[in-house]
Amino acid sequence: MAKAIVVAAPSSGSGKTLITLGLLRSFRNAGVRVASAKVGPDYIDPRFHQAATGRACYNLDPWAMNVGQINGLVTELARDADLVIIEGVMGLFDGPRGAKGSTADLAVMLGLPVLFTLDCRHQAQSAAALVHGFASYRKDLDFAGVILNRTASDRHEMLLREALGAQVLMALRNDEALAWPSRHLGLVQAQESGDLEAFIEATALRLNHKSALERILDLARPLAVGYGTPVVPPLAPSIAVARDDAFSFAYSHLLDGWQCQGASLSFFSPLADEAPDETAEAVFLPGGYPELQAGRIAGNARFLNGLRHHRGLIYGECGGYMVLGDNLIDSNGISHVMAGLLPVSTSFASRKLHLGYRQLEPLTGGPWTGRLTAHEFHYSTVVSEGPADRLFGARDAAGNILENMGLRRGRVMGSYGHVIAVAP
């Protein structure tokens, strides 16, 4: 039976992803069959995990998913694996107001211990007080140990180890070579750099401490596996999915789940001016970074015409929704003609952060009939909308009523919401 452990931190930016990648590759290099998961709604970090393990990384979300859905995904991750490493989201206890959704919530739900990643810059012995506070905050949480990140010197590490004692499992020295660039929605995507493999190996080399890895394996606990419930029904029996640097925000648990339910998937690249399979019964345009590629997309006539003439259902999320619209204004204020299938124009020049969980109620004619959980995270804004049916009724994580989301015109529909699961 596979064992598992959770990597958490006091806050975002502490180095959870770096530590997780280093551990994943170190265990893989040592012959351990390792898989991974990411807590919460995140498209970018799982691609780094996949590069480190060679396996799909699933999102596990205790707010958006019920226990059966999470157990089903965990069971799939544990298949043919010895160890599953689950990277947390934000700080250990951060989540939706008044609801489960934090890394700690997931760790308790699955009965797993927590490895605490501590960014040690600007502190030494005071780190012991911080760790004590986190370790004692919830009595139902198994706090397994600490990984020191960004230590400044041998002396700095010694002070930290003396203050924290046996809780310290390993330490990673601050190194600019282990910095990965970011942009407005998070890390620059894994597939956009040819240096990723070297970066992962360099991180693993610095965490390749045999005794510490063996101790982590000992601390990890067996996963309780079982049958789960489907996360989201497929759009259609056959689906053409856009996949490239501009359309990369598609959850692995969603696509794999569609295939497990019998749907066949084909993939195409809008940036390479590829049209969707005309025989597919549905087209899925996931989110990503079309705002950074608007000019290129606007010039790709084969892709746009393939969309315009497709006879199946067409569904777009966030960036995909923007491309289905009339125009997309880039950061320089230049307007680019998009597919023109939905009467909406969006702008990346006029930026406003939209962020949060969403509860979606499909309205007439949408691709699903039951309530859904989703997440919204974008900076682009709607500058104009024409007449069309709304796609979803919407509430925030606390249940407060929001304006209806998205548009539908016949067989074409989309919204800024990234669907995660059928509502618990």
Side-chain angles (χ1 to χ4, degrees):
M1 182 180 294
K3 301 172 74 175
I5 201 160
V6 177
V7 176
S11 65
S12 296
S14 299
K16 295 188 301 293
T17 302
L18 182 73
I19 296 299
T20 301
L21 292 179
L23 292 176
L24 289 171
R25 181 54 65 86
S26 292
F27 280 116
R28 183 183 179 187
N29 288 346
V32 176
R33 299 177 301 169
V34 64
S36 72
K38 171 70 180 181
V39 181
D42 188 306
Y43 291 100
I44 296 174
D45 292 352
R47 299 298 176 265
F48 286 87
H49 290 206
Q50 184 173 330
T53 64
R55 297 170 177 239
C57 170
Y58 287 165
N59 294 73
L60 305 176
D61 196 314
W63 181 85
M65 300 173 179
N66 62 40
V67 175
Q69 291 165 340
I70 289 176
N71 285 340
L73 294 175
V74 165
T75 299
E76 286 302 311
L77 288 172
R79 197 182 306 277
D80 298 324
D82 303 311
L83 176 67
V84 179
I85 298 179
I86 303 172
E87 181 189 348
V89 60
M90 300 185 294
L92 176 58
F93 302 110
D94 297 330
R97 181 183 178 188
K100 290 185 177 181
S102 70
T103 300
D105 290 329
L106 183 86
V108 171
M109 178 189 295
L110 296 177
L112 299 179
V114 169
L115 296 178
F116 198 61
T117 299
L118 185 62
D119 183 348
C120 301
R121 293 175 298 179
H122 315 304
Q123 62 180 326
Q125 291 95 332
S126 295
L130 186 152
V131 169
H132 174 75
F134 273 85
S136 59
Y137 185 72
R138 280 185 65 164
K139 301 303 181 184
D140 57 351
L141 187 69
D142 182 359
F143 200 89
V146 178
I147 297 177
L148 305 176
N149 188 30
R150 299 173 179 144
T151 61
S153 63
D154 289 343
R155 181 176 181 275
H156 185 208
E157 181 179 332
M158 178 188 70
L159 292 172
L160 290 160
R161 286 183 178 274
E162 288 177 348
L164 289 161
Q167 295 180 96
V168 177
L169 299 173
M170 60 174 64
L172 185 64
R173 189 62 47 85
N174 192 30
D175 188 344
E176 290 300 318
L178 299 183
W180 192 265
S182 298
R183 59 164 66 107
H184 57 284
L185 296 180
L187 297 175
V188 171
Q189 298 178 100
Q191 68 271 20
E192 293 185 45
S193 173
D195 299 329
L196 179 59
E197 181 63 21
F199 174 80
I200 293 174
E201 279 293 337
T203 305
L205 181 64
R206 289 161 173 79
L207 291 178
N208 189 25
H209 307 294
K210 184 178 179 181
S211 60
L213 294 177
E214 289 175 346
R215 188 175 173 193
I216 290 171
L217 268 177
D218 288 339
L219 289 167
R221 288 186 183 169
L223 281 165
V225 298
Y227 293 104
T229 55
V231 179
V232 179
L235 293 169
S238 58
I239 309 167
V241 181
R243 174 181 284 179
D244 56 30
D245 290 351
F247 299 90
S248 58
F249 291 179
Y251 289 122
S252 292
H253 76 256
L254 195 77
L255 300 184
D256 287 358
W258 288 350
Q259 290 180 305
C260 286
Q261 294 174 73
S264 62
L265 305 185
S266 59
F267 297 91
F268 67 100
S269 169
L271 289 183
D273 200 15
E274 295 174 355
D277 180 356
E278 61 183 14
T279 67
E281 296 163 85
V283 178
F284 176 39
L285 296 182
Y289 289 104
E291 65 268 26
L292 303 182
Q293 307 279 358
R296 187 173 170 187
I297 292 170
N300 285 352
R302 185 167 180 266
F303 159 62
L304 292 174
N305 288 330
L307 272 183
R308 291 165 183 151
H309 296 112
H310 203 280
R311 296 184 179 182
L313 179 151
I314 300 176
Y315 174 69
E317 286 188 341
C318 200
Y321 175 55
M322 295 160 67
V323 171
L324 290 176
D326 293 323
N327 301 91
L328 197 168
I329 301 170
D330 66 20
S331 59
N332 297 316
I334 301 172
S335 180
H336 303 274
V337 176
M338 295 288 109
L341 294 172
L342 290 175
V344 59
S345 293
T346 55
S347 172
F348 191 59
S350 302
R351 301 189 197 184
K352 180 181 178 182
L353 176 61
H354 301 78
L355 174 66
Y357 282 115
R358 301 290 181 256
Q359 304 175 55
L360 302 182
E361 187 75 40
L363 303 176
T364 304
W368 299 286
T369 56
R371 290 189 305 113
L372 304 162
T373 55
H375 190 256
E376 191 174 358
F377 183 22
H378 59 95
Y379 286 88
S380 63
T381 58
V382 173
V383 294
S384 67
E385 286 182 327
D389 295 329
R390 287 295 183 182
L391 185 60
F392 296 119
R395 295 176 182 265
D396 64 15
N400 298 309
I401 297 175
L402 305 175
E403 291 185 5
N404 290 345
M405 289 182 62
L407 298 173
R408 181 183 69 85
R409 177 178 278 176
R411 60 186 173 79
V412 183
M413 58 203 73
S415 81
Y416 270 119
H418 295 276
V419 172
I420 301 171
V422 172

